[in-house]
Amino acid sequence: MIDYMVSFFVSFFQNPSAWGIGLAIAFGAVWLAGYRPPLFKKPWLWVVLVSSAFLTLAVISFIQVPLGVWTGQALSHFWSQEVLMRWIFLAGIPQILLTGLVQEGSKLVPVVVYWWRSGKNIDPKLGLAVGAVAGAGFGIFEAQWALNAIFASGWTWEIMQSGGFMTLLGFWERFFTVAAHIAFSALAGYGLAKGWGWQFYLIASVLHGLLNYSAVLWQAGLLTVVHAEIYIAVLAVLVTAGALWLRWRKTAATTGPAIPAP
């Protein structure tokens, strides 16, 4: 178990490629731009971005991974694999929820630190932006890991030209998964600033689990690989739209025309 956890952690730093890292940063920049985080006015946000990436990886490697293994072992102790596969729609829920709770919690830690550092009184719009930065940190980090693996497997432009759209599914998935990471954490940051921290944390965690539930639907045969990728994209766009609506609705209320006193 220890060896597996360590190897998973180390895998994020293996097979680095300029294309993989560059695309991951580009994906993050595209989605983060809509939130307009004050990265240059508040340089401390760069610490949030970087710390979110490494902290979340550490938590996944040394907490989520063993918990996931133990959950699977507990289920297998009471039910056979045949029964678990027959009831996979329910049997997959514990581990799916676990991923959301662990990852959204670890991404939220730098946001909580920022909240405490700011005297527990930050504007919800800023809280949403700080959350988005934290989500982008791990989203970009995870994307470069996945994209580097794609390039290390031998992906080339020639393969794309001969294989068509199917060879681009890995890039498609990472593009929208980065958006989802940013949007989930943005909602959590917004809720924290509004005083609804645990409620929005649970919302973000459930949405994260709903995204990962596509793997269960695929394994059950209800979705093809293409359908699963479309599912991920649609959910990511919908959650991003909701988060950006909160961001720009607040901006409009703040920057609207002043009402003269009677």
Side-chain angles (χ1 to χ4, degrees), residues 148-200:
N148 285 341
I150 292 175
F151 287 112
S153 69
W155 189 94
T156 61
W157 291 107
E158 290 75 17
I159 291 177
M160 184 199 71
Q161 292 171 352
S162 60
F165 176 72
M166 294 299 292
T167 64
L168 296 175
L169 287 181
F171 300 94
W172 168 286
E173 178 179 317
R174 281 305 112 193
F175 181 72
F176 288 103
T177 302
V178 170
H181 273 299
I182 294 173
F184 298 155
S185 296
L187 291 177
Y190 176 85
L192 183 66
K194 291 283 287 186
W196 304 328
W198 70 267
Q199 295 96 325
F200 271 74

Side-chain angles (χ1 to χ4, degrees), residues 127-138:
L128 187 142
V130 176
V133 170
F138 181 68

Side-chain angles (χ1 to χ4, degrees), residues 196-210:
W196 304 328
W198 70 267
Q199 295 96 325
F200 271 74
Y201 161 63
L202 290 180
I203 290 172
S205 299
V206 170
L207 289 171
H208 192 134
L210 189 61

Side-chain angles (χ1 to χ4, degrees), residues 33-36 125 243-253:
Y35 297 87
R36 299 285 180 86
K125 179 181 69 173
L244 289 177
W245 178 77
L246 288 174
R247 197 268 184 224
W248 291 109
R249 182 194 64 159
K250 183 66 178 178
T251 299

Side-chain angles (χ1 to χ4, degrees), residues 10-247:
V10 172
S11 69
F12 270 66
F13 305 93
Q14 295 174 338
N15 305 314
S17 72
W19 277 105
I21 296 171
L23 282 174
I25 294 174
F27 291 170
V30 167
W31 290 108
L32 193 58
Y35 297 87
R36 299 285 180 86
L39 287 168
F40 298 103
K41 292 182 179 180
K42 298 181 179 294
W44 201 82
L45 289 181
W46 292 100
V47 179
V48 172
L49 187 144
V50 175
S51 61
S52 171
F54 288 96
L55 177 61
T56 306
L57 172 60
V59 171
I60 291 173
S61 301
F62 302 107
I63 296 179
Q64 180 185 311
V65 168
L67 287 178
V69 171
W70 294 333
T71 301
Q73 291 175 345
L75 291 172
S76 299
H77 178 75
F78 293 102
W79 296 282
S80 66
Q81 286 299 314
E82 181 182 354
V83 172
L84 291 175
M85 286 303 299
R86 190 184 311 145
W87 293 91
I88 190 172
F89 300 110
L90 295 176
I93 290 177
Q95 289 180 319
I96 291 297
L97 286 178
L98 178 66
T99 62
L101 291 169
V102 170
Q103 293 186 29
E104 293 309 318
S106 56
K107 288 192 295 178
L108 195 59
V109 169
V111 185
V112 173
V113 171
Y114 186 90
W115 182 63
W116 278 93
R117 181 176 175 272
S118 302
K120 304 183 186 179
N121 185 22
I122 61 175
D123 183 76
K125 179 181 69 173
L126 179 59
L128 187 142
V130 176
V133 170
F138 181 68
I140 293 171
F141 198 31
E142 185 184 51
Q144 66 86 30
W145 168 67
L147 296 175
N148 285 341
I150 292 175
F151 287 112
S153 69
W155 189 94
T156 61
W157 291 107
E158 290 75 17
I159 291 177
M160 184 199 71
Q161 292 171 352
S162 60
F165 176 72
M166 294 299 292
T167 64
L168 296 175
L169 287 181
F171 300 94
W172 168 286
E173 178 179 317
R174 281 305 112 193
F175 181 72
F176 288 103
T177 302
V178 170
H181 273 299
I182 294 173
F184 298 155
S185 296
L187 291 177
Y190 176 85
L192 183 66
K194 291 283 287 186
W196 304 328
W198 70 267
Q199 295 96 325
F200 271 74
Y201 161 63
L202 290 180
I203 290 172
S205 299
V206 170
L207 289 171
H208 192 134
L210 189 61
L211 187 82
N212 291 342
Y213 198 70
S214 60
V216 174
L217 298 175
W218 170 77
Q219 195 171 4
L222 286 184
L223 297 179
T224 65
V225 173
V226 174
H227 292 152
E229 298 299 343
I230 294 174
Y231 173 101
I232 291 171
V234 170
L235 182 59
V237 169
L238 288 177
V239 179
T240 298
L244 289 177
W245 178 77
L246 288 174
R247 197 268 184 224

